[in-house]
Amino acid sequence: MQAGLCIAMGATALGAQSSGYGLPKTDARMNRFVDSVLARLTLEEKLGQLTQYRGPWGLTGPQTREAGAADIKAGRVGSFLGVRGAAATRELQTIAVTQSRTRIPVLFADDIVHGWRTIFPVPLAEAASFNPEIAERTARVAAVEGAAAGIHWTFAPMVDITREPRWGRIVEGAGEDPFLGSIIAAAKVRGFQGRSLRDSLSLMATAKHFVGYGAAEGGRDYNTTDIPLRTLHEMYLPPFEAAVKAGARSIMAAFNEIDGVPMHANKRLIDGVLRDRWRWDGILVSDYTGVMELLQHGLSADSAAVGRLALDAGVDVDMVSNIFYKDVAREVRAGRLPVAVVDSAVRRVLRTKYELGLFTDPYKGSSTAREQALTLTAESRSLARTAAQQSIVLLRNERNTLPLTAAGKTIAVIGALASDARSSLGGWAAAGRAEDAVTVLAGIRNAVGSNGRVLYAAGAPVEERDTTGFAEAVRVAREADVVVLVVGEHQDMSAEARNRSSLDLPGVQQQLVERIYAVGKPTVAVLMNGRPLSVPWMASNVPAILETWYLGVEHGNAVADVLFGSVNPSGKLPVTFPRTVGQIPIYYNHKNTGRPSDAKERYTSQYIDVPFTPLYPFGHGLSYTTFSYSAPILSRAKAGTHESVDVSVTVTNSGSRTGEEVVQLYVRDDAGSVTRPVKELKGFTRVSLAPGEQRTVTFRLTPELLAFYDLQYREVVEPGTFSIMVGGSSEQLQRTTLELTGRVHVLDARPIR
Ligand code: NOJ
């Protein structure tokens, strides 16, 4: 109950917009120090501080030049992307602090997204845990391992909300909901940054990609977006605000444009929203060659001009374009860019280095011995297993097919993914190694031991259309008492530049599923994938389906824990699963329209060839037990628009096993001066209940949670009725009505822009 209250209240604070936050206390000593360093720099050295070069592991776009010792000595490098390991980072840092004229330490950055060497569930999977505590703890371990490898700065969390399952990068974020996304964003920032950036085992977090990147048209990475102002502020900006509020000291610009202005030149949003409205003063880093790409966007044909535009818009660090260093000095000398703009950016970079403690200890205690001692420890692996267990979603379980019994049974494991260790790790595996990962096959073998027999056949490759393995798979299935079919996408089908036009099982896996199912043995499907898949045939035929995403080093053990019932699944979908790609965009928090979907009424919003409903809705996830919900009880049925109301619900474990449930609270503003979604998540919490046990969960609904942007684009709460809904999925809800009275309550009168 306490946790529920906490989450709801935490979210309250996220909504606050009236004043700035995320600011360090004005530190006069730091500012004096930073100014004194700045005063010693030449214009070229200043621009060097704003320049990020690539190291050996930093290639995530076009080939760009790697920097080396000579560049550091000449003051051309402010930071590196993709130089790894205590030894390598120490070596370069020594050059910076002993052989460069400026003696300024360099920053080492990398993409530490879901772990460094101990790989945790991919972010979309972890969001399915609906557990910010887990999200924070995994980020903490990632920070410890990354910092021990000499890194200071991670390009995570990725906080892009998306309604686009075709988009490969959906795997890197928390899914489709801004409330869940905000809670997870804040948790990740807390985990990465720890108590203080100065701590030798903290990483500076980067909320990315600012902003709207997840709305890429057609789900094609890097594509244009078309986002109305209100949607931008309601859907895409909240997780950034939450990250800023949690103290994120860095934000990365997105590749997309908004309303004709690429984000790397978008002064209105960088200066206007981040720095002005939110009073955020961290460093804004470009994405990989993002400054150079302003040329392709068509803002100018001249690289000096795009460098100027980016700096002037508020981009502080040029990741690998090398335009700031190469071309911007000319713009300053010609009077086209005030040197004060450069100075502000340099100040922010120097301040970051100061906050990280690099001017005191440029190595932050880094050594190969520390690196070894802190990497892939038994505790980290154990956390990886817990996180993986909580990220698994039981999509279907007819006739209690799951959990399985191993004793005396022959289990056929079928599918190429079952033995694909690299895929278990997922897309941004940083320093992760396939040999560290437990595959599904290995996990099942570990669990079964000598109690039963495990047979294996790959059946079919993931992508190719090769059916030669079918016969062996059928033979193995016939020999078994039960079949575990592991199908989906391999890890390289998700993440950056990995978009699909179909959400079906790739290759010949659908045929494989049908062939194996026809053998007639009890069959369980284990999905591995980085995006929602449309698997309608499976959903109506295969009796049990587990969504396991890519769960990291403990993937197979966690899957076996759930398959054999030592762990009761508790994950919930952070994203809607469509029946077919043709339903996209499909998301739970949609508008009602003037003709709400109704299968019985012809002239309503629907399709003639497929139901309008999703295959699996947001928030869906079953358990081996069942939970029943009371109707929500309000602390009062009527309140003023400026007042908070508590919502309580009693949840009962009505089945026969102990289980954890994610209790979800949704709200609809029934009538407003602008239309509101049919439901919006406004609170959630996990409760663990023994059979027959009951718990009352209380959420606090504050004005911030009931507010929206009105016709004048002000943040307001309007009087009227609100549907208050609680349940274990966005589609299975108990309801009541709250009435707010009085005048329109204006929370923030500054119109959004
Ligand atoms: C491009 C990606 O968009 C971004 O997320 C990543 O941090 C950079 N490459 C650096 O690898």
Side-chain angles (χ1 to χ4, degrees), residues 58-61 81 111 155 158 169 172 208-209 213 222 252 255 287-288 319 428 496:
L59 187 74
T60 58
L81 161 67
D111 292 289
F155 293 145
M158 197 274 230
R169 302 199 78 168
E172 294 174 55
K208 68 185 188 184
H209 306 80
Y213 187 37
Y222 318 123
M252 185 185 291
F255 285 127
D287 202 343
Y288 193 101
M319 188 197 295
W428 288 94
E496 189 173 351

Side-chain angles (χ1 to χ4, degrees), residues 91-327:
E91 193 184 318
L92 294 180
Q93 195 67 296
T94 302
I95 297 172
V97 297
T98 62
Q99 295 176 41
S100 72
R101 193 191 78 82
T102 66
R103 302 283 194 268
I104 300 176
V106 292
L107 282 169
F108 294 102
D110 215 311
D111 292 289
I112 304 180
V113 176
H114 53 109
W116 177 249
R117 173 82 185 271
T118 305
I119 302 301
F120 296 104
V122 293
L124 187 64
E126 196 176 69
S129 74
F130 277 66
N131 189 342
E133 190 204 320
I134 282 282
E136 180 172 339
R137 286 172 63 203
T138 57
R140 187 85 288 277
V141 171
V144 167
E145 291 191 356
I151 313 295
H152 309 127
W153 183 7
T154 178
F155 293 145
M158 197 274 230
V159 304
D160 294 309
I161 298 300
T162 187
R163 296 164 163 179
E164 239 321 335
R166 291 172 293 184
W167 188 47
R169 302 199 78 168
I170 192 171
V171 69
E172 294 174 55
E176 76 189 32
D177 183 64
F179 181 87
L180 174 63
S182 297
I183 301 272
I184 300 281
K188 294 309 273 187
V189 170
R190 287 195 304 270
F192 285 131
Q193 295 195 165
R195 274 191 308 275
S196 154
L197 279 193
R198 190 166 273 271
D199 188 302
S200 69
L201 293 171
S202 283
L203 291 180
M204 173 165 67
T206 307
K208 68 185 188 184
H209 306 80
F210 188 77
V211 58
Y213 187 37
E217 285 183 353
R220 241 175 50 229
D221 209 0
Y222 318 123
N223 204 3
T224 304
T225 64
D226 190 6
I227 311 174
L229 183 63
R230 194 174 274 110
T231 311
L232 184 70
H233 281 263
E234 286 181 354
M235 286 294 137
Y236 297 99
L237 282 168
F240 286 94
E241 192 176 9
V244 164
K245 179 137 195 294
R249 300 299 293 143
S250 162
I251 289 181
M252 185 185 291
F255 285 127
N256 56 290
E257 65 163 66
I258 291 206
D259 197 18
V261 186
M263 283 310 304
H264 284 76
N266 204 313
K267 201 172 165 73
R268 175 174 71 89
L269 291 170
I270 297 175
D271 250 10
V273 173
L274 282 180
R275 302 223 196 272
D276 193 15
R277 194 175 179 99
W278 296 350
R279 301 252 173 267
W280 176 76
D281 73 342
I283 49 180
L284 195 299
V285 59
S286 84
D287 202 343
Y288 193 101
T289 59
V291 175
M292 185 170 83
E293 289 170 30
L294 294 175
L295 296 167
Q296 303 280 8
H297 275 287
L299 276 197
S300 167
D302 171 28
S303 60
V306 298
R308 168 170 47 80
L309 285 174
L311 258 170
D312 189 47
V315 176
D316 298 315
V317 173
D318 174 359
M319 188 197 295
V320 310
S321 292
N322 206 17
I323 284 182
F324 282 7
Y325 188 77
K326 209 163 38 62
D327 300 316

Side-chain angles (χ1 to χ4, degrees), residues 69 111 204 215 299 302 363 405-406 436 442 521 535 562 571 582 594 714 747:
D111 292 289
M204 173 165 67
L299 276 197
D302 171 28
Y363 307 103
T405 325
D436 298 335
K521 299 292 169 74
V535 284
V562 169
R714 304 170 310 170
L747 278 85

